[in-house]
Amino acid sequence: MVNKVILIGNVGADPEVRFLEGGTAVANLRLATTETFTRNGEKTEQTEWHTIVLWRGLAEITQKYVKKGMKLYIEGRLRTRQWEDKDHIKRYTTEIYADTMQMLSRSENSSAQPVAAPAPAPAEKVEIDITNQDDLPF
């Protein structure tokens, strides 16, 4: 099964960053993606707003460098959660939990250079000795 989201969009407001009891950082931001298409001969734009959740190191990078107006590349996965509001009505929201973030531009009020989040560790290299091909299972 695959749950993968890739977005390139603009940050709609400065991110909200908070630290949980154990010191774990979590950041939330809104990202706008705009699709342009032609309908009945007229150029039309449709903007979608996405809620992005970043954890730990990505949240700390977000706190230091990400500002409203910046263009970001986000890779992550969809998560839907539910809660009950004060009137006991079930509410739902779908968020993108980011695994990768890359800053594609600076914000107008930031002097920070574009920075890529740390890449995941490479997979362990496995070597197989095939000198005795009679032992191969295929």
Side-chain angles (χ1 to χ4, degrees):
M1 307 225 186
V2 176
N3 179 358
K4 180 123 178 154
V5 176
I6 298 174
L7 299 170
I8 296 176
N10 295 311
V11 178
D14 287 346
E16 296 175 14
V17 181
R18 65 190 198 295
F19 291 85
L20 305 179
E21 269 186 42
T24 301
V26 61
N28 293 292
L29 63 88
R30 300 281 288 157
L31 192 75
T33 57
T34 302
E35 180 181 2
T36 304
F37 54 93
T38 304
R39 179 181 290 163
N40 299 328
E42 290 188 36
K43 188 175 179 179
T44 305
E45 288 187 348
Q46 180 174 339
T47 300
E48 295 287 335
W49 286 94
H50 312 277
T51 301
I52 312 296
V53 180
L54 305 107
W55 290 90
R56 297 174 186 78
L58 283 179
E60 292 172 11
I61 289 170
T62 298
Q63 181 181 34
K64 289 179 184 176
Y65 300 107
V66 176
K67 303 290 181 215
K68 177 182 178 178
M70 291 180 69
K71 185 174 282 192
L72 297 181
Y73 170 90
I74 299 286
E75 277 188 38
R77 58 199 182 284
L78 287 176
R79 285 275 171 97
T80 301
R81 62 183 173 89
Q82 75 175 41
W83 72 96
E84 200 171 286
D85 70 11
K86 62 180 170 95
D87 298 322
H88 304 290
I89 297 171
K90 278 189 182 178
R91 301 285 182 183
Y92 297 88
T93 189
T94 300
E95 302 163 321
I96 290 94
Y97 276 47
D99 297 319
T100 302
M101 172 183 68
Q102 185 172 1
M103 292 171 237
L104 302 177
S105 70
R106 298 184 203 187
S107 68
E108 291 179 13
N109 58 357
S110 170
S111 61
Q113 295 291 326
V115 176
E124 185 177 328
K125 185 177 181 180
V126 177
E127 293 184 23
I128 299 172
D129 181 11
I130 58 168
T131 54
N132 187 356
Q133 294 183 4
D134 292 335
D135 291 340
L136 294 177
F138 48 90

